Amino acid sequence: MQVDYIIVGFGLAGMAMVKELEDKGRSFVVINDSSQVSSRVAAGVFNPVILKRFTPVWNADEQLENLFPFYKDLSDKLGGSYLTFFETLKVFKTIKDQNNWFLACDKPLLEKHLEPKILKEKIKGIQHFEGFGKVKGTGRVLINKVLDDYTAYLKNKGLFLEIPFVHEDLKVDIESVVYNDITAKKIIFAEGYGIKKNPYFKDLPLGGTKGEMLFIKAPELKLTQQIKSALFVLPVGDDKYWVGATFNWADKTTEATEKGKKELLEKLETMLEVPYEVISQFGGIRPTVKDRRPLVGKHPIHQNIIIFNGLGTRGVMIAPTLAKKLYAHLENEEPLPIEVNIERFN
Ligand SMILES: Cc1cc2nc3c(=O)[nH]c(=O)nc-3n(C[C@H](O)[C@H](O)[C@H](O)COP(=O)(O)OP(=O)(O)OC[C@H]3O[C@@H](n4cnc5c(N)ncnc54)[C@H](O)[C@@H]3O)c2cc1C
């Protein structure tokens, strides 16, 4: 098999790159296993505002501009519907929280996303403190559905190999790379935390942050919005909710733990005042980087070996835009923004 690109990994990063290559008429083959599950367990939320710090997401406007056509195209191609929209309500626990909200509403990059008033009305089932602030333009990508549909579509075309990639078997030349019976001009590694096994990129400062979430059923909670406080509580229909997430920098396994469950339940107790039942629990490692920016670019010695990683906590928003930038860099020699280019660590 002879292709332009081998893509290793089919989470949000690999999928965005595959779509960009397809859009531009390049040939490719995907190699993916299920050793990492960050995209599979993610809630899929997009939110242009970082509510913990009241700062805008890096490059948020451009990312949102690319996000909607990206999923519209995929709906047209694959036949599913992958986006849902809802409002996000930030819980104010104190008057200080309210003041911080009004300060944030005046920031030029945030004002269009934050509603500059306090919502005082009680929400059934949610503990009430000093009201809520509304974030506009938030929503969710149905990641599992889109990954499943795209995988089936690629398998049907014989372009998806469900196997682990063994780095030691890659032969690298100046003009090409060879992996078993596949010859390609370039290879892009989009392995998430799987990067740790990749001899070409394992020394990049990707720390990895484990996140765990609960899936609960709460029939008396009739939420239509995402509620954000110590955790997020996100309605997904049928009285079911995603609740998350933890941040653990020490544990690098993907298993759900009792410790994670305890933390989530303790925090949930400070938010809900109606009964609920835990249906399941998930864990995954977010590919996080210390400076909170992606890791993209060419290997310093082997220019046909490329990385697309470090999507951290916000892969949904970043991936479509970054795939476009990486493609333009590889095919049209456009420079990558230094904030995301792995050259910043040289
Ligand atoms: C609990 C939790 C909640 C989250 N919620 C959100 C959210 O609401 N919104 C948001 O934007 N982001 C969220 N994130 C972050 C988001 O999940 C990540 O930014 C994103 O999924 C990273 O995607 P990726 O493609 O880089 O990595 P991954 O999703 O990890 O994909 C990498 C793929 O490569 C495969 N792979 C790795 N090594 C090999 C190999 N050697 N051979 C073959 N295949 C290989 C893996 O098995 C996997 O399929 C959340 C993360 C977690 C853990």
Side-chain angles (χ1 to χ4, degrees):
M1 183 186 227
Q2 194 126 18
V3 287
D4 294 326
Y5 287 86
I6 300 172
I7 307 291
V8 181
F10 198 70
L12 287 170
M15 179 179 77
M17 203 61 225
V18 163
K19 178 176 179 300
E20 186 64 17
L21 294 175
E22 259 201 310
D23 287 353
K24 298 288 178 359
R26 299 287 155 177
S27 59
F28 61 87
V29 63
V30 178
I31 299 177
N32 184 57
D33 64 15
S34 51
S35 54
Q36 292 300 323
V37 291
S38 189
S39 303
R40 290 281 177 180
V41 302
V45 171
F46 53 89
N47 180 351
V49 184
I50 301 172
L51 287 170
K52 209 189 281 174
R53 292 185 286 277
F54 284 129
T55 49
V57 166
W58 172 72
N59 227 354
D61 287 344
E62 186 187 13
Q63 290 181 19
L64 285 176
E65 250 167 54
N66 287 319
L67 180 76
F68 303 124
F70 181 91
Y71 284 101
K72 160 93 180 54
D73 286 358
L74 285 182
S75 287
D76 293 345
K77 188 206 294 265
L78 307 172
S81 176
Y82 306 115
L83 281 179
T84 59
F85 295 88
F86 45 75
E87 286 162 348
T88 294
L89 300 183
K90 160 92 177 154
V91 175
F92 299 139
K93 289 215 156 160
T94 61
I95 300 293
K96 193 170 167 222
D97 288 344
Q98 294 182 350
N99 292 339
N100 287 339
W101 181 263
F102 284 119
L103 287 177
C105 288
D106 284 339
K107 290 188 185 170
L109 288 171
L110 295 183
E111 61 182 354
K112 58 178 174 282
H113 302 299
L114 303 182
E115 207 165 277
K117 65 176 184 195
I118 309 289
L119 307 177
K120 300 234 163 92
E121 214 167 285
K122 169 138 181 54
I123 297 171
K124 188 173 180 285
I126 299 291
Q127 292 184 34
H128 196 90
F129 298 93
E130 299 293 342
F132 305 90
K134 188 191 286 179
V135 189
K136 296 173 281 186
T138 59
R140 169 173 177 251
V141 170
L142 279 62
I143 302 179
N144 273 313
K145 186 164 162 47
V146 70
L147 285 177
D148 285 347
D149 288 358
Y150 212 161
T151 300
Y153 164 94
L154 294 172
K155 273 187 182 168
N156 204 23
K157 291 177 174 258
L159 300 177
F160 195 100
L161 306 179
E162 225 161 359
I163 47 168
F165 183 90
V166 181
H167 302 88
E168 289 65 32
D169 292 347
L170 182 71
K171 296 184 184 71
V172 185
D173 229 324
I174 293 175
E175 293 292 318
S176 64
V177 293
V178 178
Y179 186 72
N180 299 338
D181 58 347
I182 308 167
T183 303
K185 290 182 191 146
K186 295 182 171 68
I187 183 164
I188 301 182
F189 288 106
E191 303 160 294
Y193 191 68
I195 190 181
K196 291 294 168 194
K197 290 190 183 149
N198 184 324
Y200 299 98
F201 295 114
K202 69 176 170 34
D203 293 330
L204 284 167
L206 189 140
T209 311
K210 181 167 180 174
E212 294 188 54
M213 299 218 301
L214 297 176
F215 195 44
I216 65 164
K217 184 159 181 154
E220 289 176 40
L221 194 63
K222 297 292 176 199
L223 286 183
T224 53
Q225 317 93 328
Q226 173 182 219
I227 304 290
K228 202 81 168 120
S229 185
L231 300 170
F232 63 77
V233 176
L234 173 69
V236 291
D238 205 17
D239 295 330
K240 295 188 180 131
Y241 298 85
W242 282 111
V243 174
T246 61
F247 288 81
N248 183 327
W249 290 268
D251 179 1
K252 304 299 185 194
T253 68
T254 56
E255 277 88 45
T257 63
E258 273 310 310
K259 186 171 174 254
K261 187 175 183 182
K262 186 165 174 276
E263 180 185 332
L264 291 166
L265 290 179
E266 277 172 10
K267 288 186 174 163
L268 196 56
E269 285 301 311
T270 68
M271 293 181 70
L272 297 193
E273 53 186 21
V274 286
Y276 57 85
E277 168 203 348
V278 176
I279 301 172
S280 49
Q281 184 184 352
F282 301 94
I285 316 260
R286 305 171 183 93
T288 48
V289 184
K290 221 171 181 181
D291 65 3
R292 298 201 184 92
R293 296 282 178 265
L295 296 173
V296 187
K298 297 175 190 166
H299 187 272
I301 296 165
H302 308 291
Q303 298 279 290
N304 45 5
I305 302 187
I306 295 121
I307 180 169
F308 186 177
N309 209 320
L311 299 192
T313 57
R314 291 174 192 273
V316 165
M317 274 181 68
I318 305 171
T321 299
L322 211 52
K324 281 186 184 300
K325 289 191 193 295
L326 181 55
Y327 181 87
H329 179 61
L330 298 175
E331 294 287 337
N332 309 326
E333 289 178 25
E334 286 181 25
L336 279 172
I338 188 62
E339 297 100 313
V340 302
N341 196 329
I342 53 170
E343 278 180 10
R344 70 190 187 278
F345 296 112
N346 278 358

